[in-house]
């Protein structure tokens, strides 16, 4: 539940602060990062309200499309599809700004479509439209890190979009 997850974040924050006294947010203590899943904005808000707001970084997965959608190739260049990602990301950004304003916001995993995408589509030229739009969205919303998941590849790339301080 969001409450259980928030409680676990509080316990972890306490352990970090106990093991690295006086080093919180100066680069010497580890960052508390979570939840790194695909939450709805209401779930994330409940988790942060339950204590998860102690996180240094709030990270989540962002997928707009479904890899088995037969119209996915056309969706990737459709402005409405691209705007859907912006709406999802904007909802998460608003929740984090309200409930955990000192936390950085990361997209720990993202791609144009979940379910491993679709060969010849999410690993091809059309997916570039989504990717460029995703980078712009992340930058406009002050996300600090965007980690694309590339279907049919074991490579993971981290893109630092913006790097505010953790103050």
């Amino acid at each position: 539940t969001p409450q259980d997850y928030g409680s676990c974040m509080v316990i972890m924050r306490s352990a970090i602060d106990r093991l690295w006294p006086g080093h919180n947010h100066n680069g010497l203590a580890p960052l508390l990062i979570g939840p790194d899943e695909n939450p709805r904005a209401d779930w994330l808000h409940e988790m942060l309200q339950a204590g998860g707001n102690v996180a240094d970084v709030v990270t989540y997965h962002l997928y707009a499309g479904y890899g088995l959608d037969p119209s996915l190739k056309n969706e990737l260049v459709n402005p409405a599809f691209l705007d859907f990602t912006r709406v999802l990301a904007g909802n998460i950004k608003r929740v984090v700004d309200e409930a955990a304003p000192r936390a950085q916001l990361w997209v720990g995993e993202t791609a144009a479509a979940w379910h491993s995408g679709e060969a010849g589509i999410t690993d091809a030229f059309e997916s570039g439209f989504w990717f460029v739009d995703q980078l712009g969205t992340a930058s406009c919303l002050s996300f600090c890190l965007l980690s694309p998941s590339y279907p049919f590849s074991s490579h993971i790339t981290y893109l630092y979009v913006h790097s505010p301080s953790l103050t």
Side-chain angles (χ1 to χ4, degrees), residues 133-144:
D133 188 73
Q134 186 85 332
L135 283 174
T137 295
S139 181
C140 287
L141 294 173
S142 299
F143 283 47
C144 298

Side-chain angles (χ1 to χ4, degrees), residues 4 7 14 24 43 46 80 91 128 132 141 150 157:
D4 291 337
S7 295
S14 177
N24 204 9
W43 185 96
E46 287 181 41
N91 289 341
V132 169
L141 294 173
Y150 293 104
T157 303

Side-chain angles (χ1 to χ4, degrees), residues 7-153:
S7 295
C8 289
M9 294 286 275
V10 169
I11 292 166
M12 193 60 130
R13 165 84 308 144
S14 177
I16 290 170
D17 292 347
R18 187 178 65 254
L19 293 169
W20 286 270
H23 295 292
N24 204 9
H25 308 302
N26 68 359
L28 299 176
L31 295 175
L32 179 54
I33 301 172
D36 199 37
E37 56 184 46
N38 196 13
R40 295 182 327 264
D42 60 332
W43 185 96
L44 185 62
H45 189 265
E46 287 181 41
M47 187 277 289
L48 294 171
Q49 291 292 317
N53 61 343
V54 298
D56 298 306
V57 176
V58 173
T59 182
Y60 72 102
H61 300 181
L62 178 61
Y63 294 96
Y66 175 49
L68 299 179
D69 180 352
S71 65
L72 185 60
K73 183 174 184 171
N74 296 327
E75 292 293 326
L76 289 176
V77 295
N78 180 334
F81 177 84
L82 299 175
D83 287 344
F84 181 65
T85 298
R86 189 174 339 288
V87 169
L88 291 173
N91 289 341
I92 297 293
K93 170 78 170 139
R94 278 188 290 285
V95 165
V96 172
D97 283 351
E98 177 187 319
R102 69 171 197 81
Q104 289 186 10
L105 184 55
W106 293 3
V107 177
E109 187 177 306
T110 189
W114 58 280
H115 199 276
S116 297
E118 187 173 334
I121 296 175
T122 54
D123 61 349
F125 177 76
E126 290 86 356
S127 193
F129 289 94
W130 163 84
F131 186 67
V132 169
D133 188 73
Q134 186 85 332
L135 283 174
T137 295
S139 181
C140 287
L141 294 173
S142 299
F143 283 47
C144 298
L145 180 127
L146 180 72
S147 176
S149 299
Y150 293 104
F152 317 108
S153 170

